[in-house]
Amino acid sequence: MDEICVNVKRLEENEEQCTHEDKTDPDTVEEKLISSNERSRKPWQQSRSCIRECVLYVKKVLVSFASMEWYCYALLGIITALMSFFMDMTVAKLLNAHQWLYGCLKGHHLLQFLCWTLYPACLCALSTGFAHSICPFSAGSGVPEARAILLGMDMPDYLSLSNLFAKLFGLICTLASGSTVFLGKVGPFVHLSIMVGAFMNRLHVSCRGGKQRAAKGEMLVAASAVGVASCFGAPVSGVLFSIEVMGTHYSVRDYCPCFFAAACGAITFRLLSVCSRDQETIQALFKTSFSNDLPYQPFEIFIFALLGLFCSILSCIYLFFHRWALRFVKTNKPISRFLATEKVLYSAIVAFLLACFTFYHSAGHFIAAELTMKQLLTSLLDGNSWYTISQNASVLPEPQNTFWQAWNPFGRSYFQTLGMFITAKVGLLVVACTLPLPAGYFMPVFVYGAAVGRLVGEGSAYLLSDGISSTKSFINPGGYALAGAAAFSGAVTHTLSPALLALEMTGQCSHAVPALVATLVSNAVARAKHRPSFYDGLSLIKQLPHLPSLIRACPKLASVQIKRFVVPAGAVLKRTETLTSVQHILNDSTDTEVPVVDSHDSPILLGTINKSQLRECLQEHRNEGSCKQLEEVCSIQPVRLHLTPETTVKQAHCIMSVTGEQRLFITENGRLCGVITWKEMKKIIEEMAKEV
């Protein structure tokens, strides 16, 4: 009877609780009803579940062959190549439309002038307006910012989806402006590829179901290689570019993924060219036909070395005026105020002035301004000597005849045209670099170097027009253009990858040694006296926290020691600590690992204990807090890596970048002095950037 009464009472109490909940919480009941109705109203429940099962099955099959990370690398290369191909196709159609309209107005100089000037001015204004209205961070090359991101700096705005679309559309408009503005696509496209790589990293993290890694380094480094490979179909030079320009501390584990992703991008880009019938088969982007029997004489190596020296001198002049122009625009109050409020109008005015100068019936007649960037490079890499062509120019086929007429206009020789091109394009390119729109600067530099090499090659061919020695072999000016392009672009960027890029772009391996010799000589002179490269100069002017650029600008920073920036280690445990005192210290600590020392009087660092492990030990021995010591219940892990106070900031930054450690202990003779954190490291570099 007692049990029955108890059960009845419990039932009555449960009913009272239920009625009380129904009365006191009607909103909760309504929300549950609404959520259940919403779940029941979801359409195609069975179809969605079938699709989910299929996706999971496909994922299971794919993972059985390789990890999801490799599929993300392949997808990165394919998506980037698709972007590059459709961008080139769109730009080509816009350029053809401009040339068609300009040709239709032949004989009407005023209308041709308006067509030549207003078309690029409107496109540059559209590029600037769209880019800055969608994402103000989309202007410029993006390579200096990407380098800072790869070194672990937090710049999320530069990897956003809005930045991707703004940069993509703005870059198309910039490239469609043609050789009037004389800007390229390599730098912004590398930035676009890194943005795609960031999204691929998120996809990989979501597929893996784990937490996102702090650095995202592997995917972003591979993305920088894919950017170059998808532009030119050159995977090897793309990987070398990612090592030299993007990755200051390159990890060997990134080597194979970089090659795989770059190969996927290059193959996709070339296959798309074949499918669109731009090319008959997979071949180099700027295919050349140099003679392989005797490509050059041994004594020509000295001429190639002199060409590298000449290119290095020109690169120093160009970099000096480039940095001066950017500083002038930034420090000149009227121009800086005008740029702050009227960026679109500034771009339109500058593009209009550049177009006025390059108009055919003004100075453009003397600098082959009617040729596009691709036509300029194709004509400069031509293996036939222009001196030989000048003897029998009437039988030239197209498009060689058009190229010849552009470089050898009526009343002028090709030497004068090349000289005017080299002289004028330096100033035009420096002015164009001040435009606040998405644009690249590598390809214009590459074409400029090809013109310098062509001038040296044509001069040598003219002086040795009767042939060389008893073999009567003739000098190939196209080979000098190839070496000049590699040497000048390598001197501007302080890299050797342009030499390999020139060979991959042209498919011409016979001039590998001359191109490498010219590039090495130009790099040796350009790097003298710690001169900053093109990208280092941009990082310094923008005050980006990129430590290698700061050290090149101020070599004294390489000897700065971290003992000036050491902070206290926070919560520190001694090995004989009781569990009761450990509990109090643990409540006040925010670190994931707590250092353990021999004693507070003699803080010899013994190792660290994970915070979660400490909690588990405290839970197991919660009743023995006053009698148990730390070393009796917890295993102390030895410190894998620690620094000394004499370690330089450069060395500490390199170690933290490669290992991914967020905090390193500083010890002197085994005694714990403090810690250096990644957050503190970033603050140090930012302060250095402001000082420089």
Side-chain angles (χ1 to χ4, degrees):
M1 289 295 291
D2 293 336
E3 291 178 2
I4 293 171
C5 291
V6 171
N7 290 333
V8 170
K9 286 180 180 178
R10 287 179 179 173
L11 287 171
E12 289 176 355
E13 289 174 1
N14 291 335
E15 288 177 0
E16 287 177 3
Q17 287 179 1
C18 291
T19 54
H20 179 71
E21 287 177 1
D22 292 339
K23 290 178 182 178
T24 57
D25 203 6
D27 295 336
T28 307
V29 177
E30 290 179 5
E31 288 176 1
K32 289 179 180 179
L33 289 171
I34 292 170
S35 62
S36 64
N37 290 333
E38 286 179 351
R39 280 196 292 269
S40 63
R41 287 176 186 172
K42 285 183 178 179
W44 306 308
Q45 289 278 355
Q46 189 175 1
S47 302
R48 291 168 65 245
S49 62
C50 290
I51 292 172
R52 189 183 297 110
E53 290 176 2
C54 291
V55 170
L56 292 175
Y57 176 75
V58 170
K59 179 183 175 182
K60 183 179 179 181
V61 172
L62 291 176
V63 171
S64 64
F65 291 102
S67 65
M68 287 302 297
E69 191 172 7
W70 290 96
Y71 293 106
C72 290
Y73 285 128
L75 195 59
L76 168 64
I78 293 170
I79 292 174
T80 309
L82 286 169
M83 287 171 52
S84 178
F85 176 76
F86 286 111
M87 180 186 291
D88 289 347
M89 187 173 65
T90 306
V91 170
K93 290 184 181 297
L94 291 172
L95 288 173
N96 290 336
H98 185 211
Q99 289 181 338
W100 172 81
L101 182 60
Y102 183 80
C104 291
L105 299 174
K106 191 174 183 179
H108 303 82
H109 296 310
L110 179 60
L111 294 178
Q112 279 190 321
F113 173 77
L114 294 176
C115 174
W116 183 264
T117 54
L118 294 181
Y119 189 86
C122 292
L123 283 174
C124 288
L126 178 62
S127 174
T128 305
F130 186 86
H132 283 274
S133 61
I134 301 299
C135 182
F137 305 100
S138 59
S141 168
V143 171
E145 292 82 3
R147 295 166 79 199
I149 291 170
L150 286 173
L151 284 180
M153 301 303 167
D154 296 325
M155 305 173 75
D157 293 324
Y158 288 92
L159 297 178
S160 63
L161 188 63
S162 59
N163 194 0
L164 190 148
F165 285 110
K167 195 141 201 162
L168 185 64
F169 182 83
L171 183 59
I172 290 174
C173 294
T174 303
L175 295 176
S177 303
S179 59
T180 300
V181 183
F182 202 58
L183 294 172
K185 84 173 214 181
V186 178
F189 203 80
V190 170
H191 189 196
L192 286 170
S193 179
I194 289 175
M195 284 188 263
V196 176
F199 292 117
M200 287 297 105
N201 184 73
R202 294 178 193 172
L203 176 64
H204 174 232
V205 169
S206 62
C207 292
R208 188 180 55 187
K211 293 183 179 179
Q212 187 170 353
R213 286 171 292 181
K216 300 183 293 186
E218 295 178 14
M219 192 69 71
L220 298 188
V221 170
S224 63
V226 171
V228 177
S230 300
C231 280
F232 305 111
V236 182
S237 53
V239 175
L240 188 58
F241 174 86
S242 70
I243 296 173
E244 289 186 305
V245 177
M246 307 302 296
T248 308
H249 314 301
Y250 194 81
S251 179
V252 179
R253 67 174 179 267
D254 300 335
Y255 192 68
C256 191
C258 275
F259 262 112
F260 178 73
C264 290
I267 292 170
T268 304
F269 180 74
R270 294 189 178 187
L271 285 175
L272 288 171
S273 300
V274 175
C275 294
S276 63
R277 298 181 181 178
D278 289 343
Q279 296 178 349
E280 294 181 359
T281 184
I282 296 178
Q283 60 183 12
L285 190 62
F286 296 93
K287 186 66 178 175
T288 56
S289 56
F290 297 166
S291 175
N292 293 323
D293 296 334
L294 190 62
Y296 54 88
Q297 291 286 342
F299 85 91
E300 288 186 70
I301 294 294
F302 297 101
I303 304 179
F304 283 110
L306 291 175
L307 172 61
L309 180 63
F310 185 42
C311 287
S312 64
I313 295 171
L314 288 177
S315 71
C316 293
I317 296 171
Y318 165 68
L319 290 176
F320 172 79
F321 283 109
H322 173 258
R323 288 193 290 270
W324 177 85
L326 292 181
R327 287 197 183 96
F328 177 77
V329 169
K330 189 176 181 179
T331 56
N332 186 272
K333 290 185 178 180
I335 296 179
S336 61
R337 288 174 184 171
F338 184 71
L339 261 174
T341 56
E342 303 293 341
K343 290 184 175 64
V344 176
L345 185 58
Y346 176 85
S347 295
I349 291 173
V350 171
F352 180 81
L353 294 176
L354 291 173
C356 289
F357 183 85
T358 58
F359 182 53
Y360 180 78
H361 296 287
S362 60
H365 182 64
F366 308 111
I367 57 174
E370 288 186 319
L371 298 181
T372 63
M373 193 87 74
K374 188 174 183 179
Q375 290 172 339
L376 283 171
L377 192 55
T378 303
S379 61
L380 291 170
L381 292 174
D382 186 14
N384 299 316
S385 172
W386 289 350
Y387 175 77
T388 306
I389 292 175
S390 64
Q391 307 300 319
N392 194 13
S394 58
V395 296
L396 276 177
E398 292 292 340
Q400 283 83 1
N401 186 39
T402 304
F403 298 160
W404 168 248
Q405 290 178 358
W407 287 109
N408 194 64
F410 180 74
R412 298 278 176 177
S413 69
Y414 53 87
F415 284 111
Q416 292 174 316
T417 307
L418 283 170
M420 280 289 294
F421 182 90
I422 293 169
T423 305
K425 281 296 180 180
V426 170
L428 296 177
L429 186 54
V430 167
V431 174
C433 288
T434 63
L435 290 171
L437 44 74
Y441 312 109
F442 178 82
M443 200 60 189
V445 166
F446 194 85
V447 174
Y448 184 87
V452 174
R454 187 80 194 193
L455 179 63
V456 174
E458 290 292 345
S460 302
Y462 179 79
L463 294 175
L464 301 171
S465 57
D466 294 333
I468 305 171
S469 70
S470 59
T471 60
K472 295 296 181 182
S473 61
F474 297 94
I475 286 179
N476 178 11
Y480 286 86
L482 181 73
F488 187 76
S489 53
V492 169
T493 58
H494 290 188
T495 58
L496 298 178
S497 55
L500 185 57
L501 178 63
L503 301 178
E504 284 191 284
M505 283 174 60
T506 58
Q508 196 65 50
C509 297
S510 60
H511 281 71
V513 173
L516 188 59
V517 167
T519 309
L520 286 170
V521 171
S522 64
N523 263 269
V525 178
R527 289 170 180 261
K529 296 184 179 180
H530 302 283
R531 295 188 185 96
S533 68
F534 179 85
Y535 297 120
D536 292 334
L538 288 177
S539 298
L540 294 171
I541 291 170
K542 294 181 178 181
Q543 293 185 342
L544 292 174
H546 187 257
L547 186 60
S549 302
L550 301 176
I551 291 175
R552 288 191 187 99
C554 185
K556 294 180 180 179
L557 296 178
S559 59
V560 176
Q561 297 177 350
I562 60 172
K563 61 184 177 183
R564 294 167 46 188
F565 311 103
V566 175
V567 296
V572 179
L573 299 174
K574 61 180 182 180
R575 61 185 178 86
T576 58
E577 201 89 51
T578 61
L579 295 185
T580 304
S581 57
V582 169
Q583 180 66 57
H584 295 301
I585 295 173
L586 192 62
N587 293 334
D588 299 333
S589 176
T590 58
D591 300 322
T592 57
E593 288 184 342
V594 183
V596 180
V597 297
D598 188 34
S599 66
H600 292 301
D601 296 330
S602 178
I604 303 297
L605 183 62
L606 303 177
T608 60
I609 298 179
N610 194 281
K611 202 171 182 179
S612 59
Q613 182 188 357
L614 267 177
R615 285 202 178 94
E616 291 176 1
C617 292
L618 291 172
Q619 188 67 23
E620 290 178 6
H621 305 277
R622 58 181 179 273
N623 297 325
E624 307 171 6
S626 58
C627 58
K628 287 286 185 179
Q629 294 183 351
L630 180 66
E631 61 181 353
E632 296 176 3
V633 297
C634 293
S635 60
I636 301 172
Q637 300 295 328
V639 178
R640 183 181 60 167
L641 185 65
H642 55 89
L643 308 177
T644 63
E646 288 74 26
T647 305
T648 63
V649 173
K650 180 182 177 182
Q651 293 169 338
H653 181 265
C654 177
I655 291 169
M656 297 180 83
S657 298
V658 173
T659 61
E661 295 285 346
Q662 298 296 309
R663 188 176 71 151
L664 290 175
F665 295 104
I666 311 299
T667 60
E668 187 174 13
N669 297 326
R671 300 167 64 90
L672 181 63
C673 302
V675 296
I676 183 79
T677 62
W678 180 247
K679 187 176 181 180
E680 188 68 24
M681 180 67 69
K682 290 192 287 187
K683 288 182 180 179
I684 295 168
I685 298 173
E686 287 172 0
E687 291 175 2
M688 288 180 176
K690 292 177 182 178
E691 291 177 2
V692 174

